[in-house]
Amino acid sequence: MNYRAFKDTEIAEIGLGTWQLGSADWGAVDEEEAMKIMQAYVDAGGNFIDTADVYGMGVSEQLIGKFLKTTHQDIYVATKLGRRGDQGNGWPQNFSYEAMKKQTEDSLEHLNLSKLFLQQLHCIPTEEMRTGKVFDHLRRLQSEGLIKYFGASVETSEEALLCLEQDGLASLQMIFNLFRQHVADEVFAKASEKGVALIIRVPLASGLLSGKFNEDTKFESGDHRNFNANGEQFNAGETFSGIEFKEGVKLSRRIKNMFPDDRMAQWSIRWILDHPEVTTVIPGASKVSQVKSNVEASTLEPLSPTLHHALRKLYDTEIRDQIRGHY
């Protein structure tokens, strides 16, 4: 495992996303398997785990909290707030200081921590970010010792650029992959200039860039790749990076044939890591074998400039115009 700087900390360039561990929106992952997944990640040298309070409405955070009790390794946990709709929560009431403090305290309780390494806004409305009040609240939570750093997970480059104007912002979490390449042009240089870490989510386009799907692949009813394939429940861009599934399968085959060998998932992550502005990539996993596959990307040599150019040309000419959802 290789590591990259996150402020005064060194974190693994391959993190662990834990949306799957909430056993919601991806199908079920039982507790025993979840523990094995996290242990396999730590055994591989991993030290950065990303979650959110709504991943199973606390289930993912609670499983991470149980795991942290079993390890002596230094693990840096990032979570997110702003999307809860339970017990009077929702928009816009989630964005008061009192609500954000309560959401943070709930996450601390779930994780069995006294201070969060990183608290992030979780794809909240653009206008809430534009007013700046939520960032004032995060700075207050930071001054009160509840969080060490704060950041934002965003949907669009416009939102990313709004966040980059905020003092104290430690990180941006964005979708960036072979089906969403232009983000680098719009955001990366400014983030680097500001010293803001880039956390890359959806690196495999919900599995499309693993090369394991075909046009007839079916997903469980509770899997967002079934119920949100066309943006029926939330932003279409969060599922398959906004690409229509069958078209994405065809494009994935073409990309796979361009790589040095058949390790498509690893090379797709390697492509992201070849961008020096990136701090960490957070692929999820629903089984141990996926953790091992993802981590292998850290050991690969960078792709050639010629291949990077060819992949960008394919994106510009045949992929970008097919993205759906807001981005």
Side-chain angles (χ1 to χ4, degrees), residues 31-49:
E31 181 172 330
E32 181 180 1
E33 187 66 20
M35 294 298 167
K36 289 179 179 178
I37 286 167
M38 288 184 277
Q39 188 62 57
Y41 173 67
V42 172
D43 288 346
N47 67 356
F48 183 76
I49 298 178

Side-chain angles (χ1 to χ4, degrees), residues 241-290:
S241 294
I243 304 296
E244 192 276 326
F245 178 71
K246 291 186 177 180
E247 190 60 34
V249 169
K250 295 175 185 177
L251 290 166
S252 293
R253 288 198 190 104
R254 295 182 61 185
I255 292 170
K256 185 175 184 178
N257 289 333
M258 298 168 74
F259 283 140
D261 55 46
D262 287 339
R263 294 176 291 179
M264 185 177 186
Q266 294 94 323
W267 287 119
S268 295
I269 295 173
R270 179 68 254 178
W271 176 87
I272 297 170
L273 294 174
D274 285 351
H275 295 77
E277 302 91 346
V278 168
T279 305
T280 187
V281 184
I282 52 168
S286 56
K287 57 184 70 171
V288 168
S289 60
Q290 292 172 345

Side-chain angles (χ1 to χ4, degrees), residues 20 33 109 144 154 158 167 174 202:
Q20 286 89 336
E33 187 66 20
E109 181 178 355
E144 293 171 345
V154 299
E158 176 195 7
D167 291 339
M174 304 188 70
V202 198

